[in-house]
Amino acid sequence: MKDKIKYEQKAEEFAMKAHKGQYRLDGKTTYIEHPRNVARLLKEAGIKDENILCAAWLHDVVEDCGIEIERIGREFNMEIARIVFALTRDKTRSREEYIKKIKNSDFAVQIVKLADVSHNLMTLHKDVPENTVRNIINDCNSFYFGLARKISPTFYNLLQTYLDSYRIMQKQEVQLAWKR
């Protein structure tokens, strides 16, 4: 158990260094809060697999920090590198192609992605660009709800709760705007 904690701690430290100086789209939240929450959500869902938890910490370092996937393989293991690679979105490909890639992936990739999407949905608010909000909601409705229903009732309920909360918040903002 001690080695398992050290391994995940190594992934956390690696992610902290890689994401140093980066912020979420709101421009206020340090980026490391995202992988930290993705790992937390997975643990809360009962995930104990160290490769999955390490991949949660590292899931954006290739895409957002310029870290080579080979380095992940060298510093961690090939299974973590495989999961991270599968989660890395090639910006030259369409969103639909990326979703298809996730759809055709295994449980490890899909469960990290569900935690990633859940946290993204949880943190939607007015400081996030509207097109990003629309893309996240559309992706949830077109694919992630169905995937979550199939592999994780926990994430299905989380996605539903966060989307419902966002809709209520949007409705309240519209009502406030009408009162002005």
Side-chain angles (χ1 to χ4, degrees), residues 28-40:
K28 301 170 191 169
T29 308
T30 56
Y31 196 88
I32 196 62
E33 292 306 313
H34 175 62
R36 177 176 288 127
N37 279 288
V38 171
R40 178 187 58 78

Side-chain angles (χ1 to χ4, degrees), residues 23-38 40-41 59-60 114-129 132-133 136-137 140 158-159 161-163 165-166 169-170 173:
Y23 291 85
R24 297 279 286 165
L25 289 176
D26 67 5
K28 301 170 191 169
T29 308
T30 56
Y31 196 88
I32 196 62
E33 292 306 313
H34 175 62
R36 177 176 288 127
N37 279 288
V38 171
R40 178 187 58 78
L41 288 170
H59 77 275
D60 282 334
L114 287 175
D116 178 32
V117 170
S118 294
H119 185 252
N120 286 338
L121 195 56
M122 181 189 343
T123 57
L124 288 181
H125 45 72
K126 62 184 173 196
D127 294 331
V128 176
T132 300
V133 171
I136 292 169
I137 291 171
C140 282
L158 280 175
L159 289 171
T161 299
Y162 298 145
L163 188 56
S165 296
Y166 180 75
M169 184 179 71
Q170 289 297 99
E173 286 178 9

Side-chain angles (χ1 to χ4, degrees), residues 58-100:
L58 303 170
H59 77 275
D60 282 334
V61 299
V62 173
E63 186 175 329
D64 295 341
C65 306
I67 303 291
E68 297 288 327
I69 196 68
E70 293 80 11
R71 184 172 171 196
I72 302 296
R74 282 192 312 272
E75 295 203 26
F76 294 93
N77 65 44
M78 293 310 292
E79 176 61 7
I80 293 170
R82 182 194 68 78
I83 297 167
V84 171
F85 180 74
L87 291 163
T88 301
R89 183 162 179 251
D90 178 349
K91 303 288 186 178
T92 65
R93 303 279 191 187
S94 70
R95 296 181 70 77
E96 293 78 17
E97 288 174 291
Y98 178 70
I99 287 174
K100 186 176 181 181

Side-chain angles (χ1 to χ4, degrees), residues 79 82-83 86 101-112 151:
E79 176 61 7
R82 182 194 68 78
I83 297 167
K101 179 173 127 175
I102 298 300
K103 183 179 184 176
N104 293 324
S105 293
D106 64 7
F107 176 81
V109 172
Q110 292 176 344
I111 201 72
V112 174
I151 71 166

Side-chain angles (χ1 to χ4, degrees), residues 4 20 27 57 74 83 131 133 141 144 164 169:
K4 187 176 185 177
K20 186 177 176 121
W57 280 102
R74 282 192 312 272
I83 297 167
N131 66 320
V133 171
N141 287 326
Y144 293 114
D164 289 347
M169 184 179 71

